[in-house]
Amino acid sequence: MARLTHTVTVAPLDRGWFEEAAGTLVDLLDGSRARADGSVLLADGRAVAGLRLLKGRHLRAGARYGETPEPVTPGADGRVPAGSGTNGAADGPARPGTVGAADGLARPGTVGAADGLARPGTDGAGAAGGSSGPGASGGVPAPGPSATVGAVVLRAWRPAHSVEVESRVAEDGLALRLKVRLSEPRRPRALGLSLSGHRPAGGSLYRFSGRGAADLAAWWAAVDRLPSALPAARPPVTARAAHRLAKARLTVTPHPADDGSWRISVVLSVRGRWLLRPVGAVALFFARRPVERGFREAVENAAAQWNTALAELTPRHGEALRAEIADALTETEPDKTALGGPAAAGGPTDPWGPADTGGPEAR
């Protein structure tokens, strides 16, 4: 239905520095350890900012990292204030004073089970809260806007082979799941990701999915060519997205320029599905120029951010690079604390249920 293309020029990234930085980061994390309160410490004893172990064993398949929900304290009448302590469910509705279940229904005053039904009064609302069930009148407060519930599950940690993580986020009734796999992390060769999302109350129109892949070996081969050589036959970076009404495909192809910079060609193809195809063709006829302008601006903004980030990087190596990365991992922004608060009695609360043990491939 539509094919948009734009080419930008960006500063080159040194392959040797990139691979050294990636290897140093992996080594720092591989040498880290988790304390009883869930905080993660580097080998030098400093805590990694924004990282807290919620369940499982650190750097083992099934370990979960994320944010511990805050406890909810009922008022004098036994009611929970509207909107308080409601962390939206990933795949189902949550009730006031609960952390929503990932795949089931949670009742007032519970921490929802991952794949089942939680009953009132089970696994209360936190260390300080107690039950947040109906008030004296027997009524339950109307639910308020949902907060964000997030968790990162480590599927595999094999620094010599691959690292796999899965991120789950539920916010305002929308559940998102992102899976990322990095091959040969110490000298990255390929990156794969998949994304899926849906709104439980919205039906199939609120479901979408996507996959992306970056062949880093092919990328370096493409930018190592002579400027006069033909571009790579296959784009090193590809992504596809699917929805009930449309499909999209994105490709990114680099090519070296005469001055040593990189010329990046970005192509986006969008095709309507079902009844949207003829309707979309008519809409695109009248809106093609604004759509093309928006696409160009998005690509150019991404290129500007890349150039700014590279300009701020200091090309350090060895121990200096290691110290710089360690400082970045442990630096806490003002007025911010690490993910997760104090653990409730019995361990940190995990809105996603029990940790996965992982199969043979994840070990």
Side-chain angles (χ1 to χ4, degrees):
M1 184 171 79
R3 187 176 187 273
L4 308 175
T5 180
H6 191 54
T7 301
V8 292
T9 300
V10 301
L13 174 64
D14 181 70
R15 179 178 183 177
W17 183 90
F18 169 74
E19 292 183 345
E20 183 183 1
T24 301
L25 174 60
V26 171
D27 289 341
L28 284 170
L29 293 177
D30 196 47
S32 65
R33 69 185 189 278
R35 296 196 306 187
D37 64 355
S39 57
V40 178
L41 306 182
L42 296 182
D44 61 8
R46 290 184 292 171
V48 178
L51 187 64
R52 181 177 293 276
L53 177 66
L54 297 181
K55 285 203 175 183
R57 297 179 60 190
H58 181 51
L59 297 183
R60 295 292 186 270
R64 299 193 180 196
Y65 304 85
E67 190 169 2
T68 303
E70 295 181 359
V72 179
T73 304
D77 60 352
R79 293 172 177 264
V80 177
S84 299
T86 305
N87 284 353
D91 295 300
R95 301 294 190 245
T98 72
V99 176
D103 298 297
L105 185 64
R107 302 302 188 200
T110 72
V111 175
D115 298 297
L117 188 66
R119 302 301 183 191
T122 60
D123 229 6
S131 175
S132 55
S137 63
V140 176
S146 61
T148 300
V149 179
V152 175
V153 183
L154 183 65
R155 295 300 182 191
W157 180 263
R158 296 172 291 180
H161 184 266
S162 65
V163 171
E164 299 177 44
V165 297
E166 177 180 329
S167 176
R168 308 173 184 180
V169 176
E171 182 175 13
D172 294 331
L174 181 64
L176 298 175
R177 179 170 299 190
L178 174 65
K179 298 180 181 179
V180 180
R181 184 179 190 275
L182 182 63
S183 299
E184 300 185 24
R186 287 195 171 96
R187 296 187 63 184
R189 291 187 56 83
L191 176 69
L193 60 86
S194 64
L195 173 68
S196 62
H198 74 282
R199 189 185 298 275
S204 60
L205 289 179
Y206 289 88
R207 292 181 179 273
F208 59 90
S209 62
R211 290 184 177 275
D215 187 338
L216 299 180
W219 180 282
W220 297 121
V223 297
D224 284 342
R225 295 169 178 242
L226 294 174
S228 57
L230 294 175
R234 293 184 177 182
V237 179
T238 59
R240 297 177 182 272
H243 183 267
R244 182 180 178 184
L245 300 180
K247 287 184 176 181
R249 183 174 186 266
L250 179 74
T251 64
V252 180
T253 306
H255 192 72
D258 293 330
D259 60 357
S261 59
W262 293 348
R263 290 182 58 79
I264 309 296
S265 296
V266 184
V267 179
L268 174 64
S269 302
V270 182
R271 171 176 293 184
R273 303 176 69 185
W274 303 94
L275 296 177
L276 185 64
R277 185 173 297 181
V279 176
V282 174
L284 184 63
F285 177 79
F286 293 100
R288 187 173 187 89
R289 287 189 178 180
V291 171
E292 290 178 339
R293 181 170 60 251
F295 174 73
R296 289 195 303 269
E297 290 177 353
V299 175
E300 289 173 358
N301 287 340
Q305 292 177 9
W306 170 276
N307 290 334
T308 300
L310 284 190
E312 294 175 352
L313 288 177
T314 303
R316 296 177 180 173
H317 297 275
E319 288 302 319
L321 177 61
R322 184 182 183 89
E324 184 175 19
I325 295 177
D327 290 343
L329 287 174
T330 57
E331 182 178 358
T332 303
E333 297 182 24
D335 300 326
K336 288 188 178 181
T337 58
L339 284 177
T349 304
D350 180 7
W352 299 99
D356 289 328
T357 56
E361 292 300 320
R363 292 191 176 91

